[in-house]
């Protein structure tokens, strides 16, 4: 579960633990859940750095066989344009690009025969997305609403992308909009 240290992500982690799953959690803040030490593993990951995230996910995949991925980590767009250490608009990288990278690594690591389910938490705001991406390349074109809606739109599209790209794999991808909470 990405972004599993607070909010919806933390509640999903608790739900999976109550259902007796072993859960791998990523987030920026340390997670300690009393009584579940044998069934939860935390990895600190900041989606602001793609290489750091890729290295961390490769480590996870070397240690564990992944059955489910919940792409939950995300941010509301900051009021001003912020560039990541990788040179991308911050919201777009955190809400979409890093999940794309993580899922590519997990899918390739799992191979075509191991069943994998990928759920992406989107937002109803994705309906406002547009195809012009200048806002995430130029500060003067930046709009927080556009950055957020487009990032969630691309996250939703990712499910179809993976289904087409990895046709023949034992892979189920879907996106969900939890609504306002």
């Amino acid at each position: 579960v990405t972004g599993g240290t607070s909010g919806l992500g933390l509640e999903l982690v608790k739900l999976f633990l109550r259902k007796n799953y072993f859960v791998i959690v990523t987030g920026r803040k340390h997670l300690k859940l009393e009584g579940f030490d044998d069934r939860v593993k935390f990895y600190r990951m900041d989606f602001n750095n793609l290489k750091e995230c890729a290295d961390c996910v490769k480590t996870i995949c070397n240690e564990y066989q992944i059955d489910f991925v919940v792409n939950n980590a995300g941010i509301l767009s900051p009021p001003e344009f912020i560039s990541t250490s990788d040179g991308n608009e911050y919201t777009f990288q955190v809400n979409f690009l890093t999940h794309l990278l993580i899922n590519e690594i997990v899918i390739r690591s799992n191979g075509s025969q191991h069943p994998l389910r990928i759920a992406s938490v989107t937002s109803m705001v994705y309906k406002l997305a547009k195809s012009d991406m200048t806002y995430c390349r130029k500060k003067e074109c930046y709009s927080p609403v556009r950055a957020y809606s487009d990032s969630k739109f691309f996250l939703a599209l990712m499910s179809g992308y993976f289904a087409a790209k990895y046709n023949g794999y034992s892979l189920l991808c879907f996106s969900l909009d939890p609504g306002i909470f």
Side-chain angles (χ1 to χ4, degrees):
V1 177
T2 67
T5 59
S6 64
L8 178 63
L10 179 57
E11 293 307 313
L12 289 169
V13 168
K14 290 176 183 177
L15 173 71
F16 291 135
L17 289 170
R18 285 193 303 270
K19 301 267 185 193
N20 293 318
Y21 284 91
F22 178 82
V23 183
I24 299 168
V25 181
T26 69
R28 291 180 290 173
K29 299 180 285 187
H30 185 71
L31 175 70
K32 180 73 172 161
L33 290 171
E34 297 296 326
F36 295 103
D37 292 341
D38 61 331
R39 290 193 291 118
V40 66
K41 178 73 175 175
F42 172 76
Y43 289 86
R44 189 186 180 294
M45 193 181 302
D46 187 343
F47 281 23
N48 185 46
N49 185 311
L50 292 173
K51 182 179 179 338
E52 176 187 302
C53 291
D55 290 345
C56 186
V57 173
K58 288 175 187 174
T59 298
I60 292 168
C61 289
N62 286 333
E63 294 178 21
Y64 302 99
Q65 180 77 58
I66 307 298
D67 299 317
F68 300 94
V69 175
V70 179
N71 298 308
N72 173 69
I75 60 162
L76 290 173
S77 301
E80 302 297 323
F81 182 95
I82 297 174
S83 186
T84 66
S85 59
D86 298 297
N88 299 305
E89 189 276 319
Y90 189 71
T91 307
F92 193 71
Q93 180 166 320
V94 170
N95 291 359
F96 170 66
L97 286 178
T98 307
H99 287 109
L100 179 69
L101 175 66
I102 287 170
N103 291 307
E104 283 283 358
I105 294 168
V106 171
I107 292 168
R108 291 176 187 184
S109 217
N110 269 12
S112 63
Q113 301 306 308
H114 183 81
L116 176 63
R117 306 300 174 251
I118 299 174
S120 298
V121 178
T122 63
S123 166
M124 67 177 99
V125 177
Y126 81 86
K127 296 173 185 173
L128 302 175
K130 299 191 168 134
S131 60
D132 174 16
M133 298 284 291
T134 55
Y135 75 89
C136 70
R137 292 186 202 106
K138 298 179 182 177
K139 289 181 183 182
E140 60 274 8
C141 298
Y142 178 75
S143 160
V145 172
R146 283 283 314 283
Y148 184 76
S149 64
D150 285 9
S151 68
K152 292 300 186 172
F153 177 69
F154 282 102
L155 191 61
L157 288 178
M158 185 176 67
S159 296
Y161 166 76
F162 284 137
K165 181 175 181 178
Y166 294 102
N167 188 15
Y169 277 55
S170 184
L171 178 65
L172 174 66
C173 298
F174 59 95
S175 61
L176 60 114
D177 166 13
I180 298 171
F181 64 96

